[in-house]
Amino acid sequence: MDVKMGITKERVVELAAFAEPVQAGAASEASVVSRSAELLKDVSVTLEIRLGEASVSVQDLFALKDGSVVELQRMVDDPVDVLLNGRVVARGQLVASGEQFGVRVTEILGGDA
């Protein structure tokens, strides 16, 4: 019976040690986020926009010439994928930005994408 009491006491002590986590203030958290963002602002990443893809045979690939149209496995109205370092992080809509294409981000994806 003493052994059971000793184990119970150890568990209570272990739980009590973690029962009240240290609370960081909002100002402290904002400061940490700000410093982290400052450290990362000059890191280069690769941002890609994926319009679609197509499966073609090698024969069809060799037959491509000026004016050939390759149909993508995506409808005109479907959103495009925005990839960050090869991982889909958002979806968007193609737009014209002057003489260039742009993407209007319509959805930011969570970690499961």
Side-chain angles (χ1 to χ4, degrees), residues 50-93:
R50 184 185 314 156
L51 297 176
E53 50 194 47
S55 295
V56 296
S57 68
V58 174
Q59 180 179 356
D60 291 341
L61 182 64
F62 287 149
L64 290 177
K65 59 185 177 209
D66 286 349
S68 294
V69 175
V70 177
E71 289 186 16
L72 304 177
Q73 297 172 347
R74 191 178 296 248
M75 301 301 292
V76 172
D77 294 343
D78 287 349
V80 296
D81 294 330
V82 178
L83 292 86
L84 179 62
N85 287 342
R87 183 169 180 233
V88 179
V89 296
R91 299 214 195 301
Q93 175 184 25

Side-chain angles (χ1 to χ4, degrees), residues 5-98:
M5 296 282 287
I7 292 173
T8 303
K9 287 180 184 176
E10 284 180 10
R11 287 185 184 160
V12 170
V13 169
E14 288 174 11
L15 291 175
F18 297 103
E20 295 183 35
V22 176
Q23 297 292 324
S28 175
E29 288 178 19
S31 176
V32 169
V33 169
S34 177
R35 279 186 265 145
S36 296
E38 186 68 26
L39 290 171
L40 295 175
K41 74 177 188 175
D42 293 326
V43 174
S44 295
V45 296
T46 300
L47 187 67
E48 299 174 80
I49 307 304
R50 184 185 314 156
L51 297 176
E53 50 194 47
S55 295
V56 296
S57 68
V58 174
Q59 180 179 356
D60 291 341
L61 182 64
F62 287 149
L64 290 177
K65 59 185 177 209
D66 286 349
S68 294
V69 175
V70 177
E71 289 186 16
L72 304 177
Q73 297 172 347
R74 191 178 296 248
M75 301 301 292
V76 172
D77 294 343
D78 287 349
V80 296
D81 294 330
V82 178
L83 292 86
L84 179 62
N85 287 342
R87 183 169 180 233
V88 179
V89 296
R91 299 214 195 301
Q93 175 184 25
L94 276 181
V95 295
S97 179

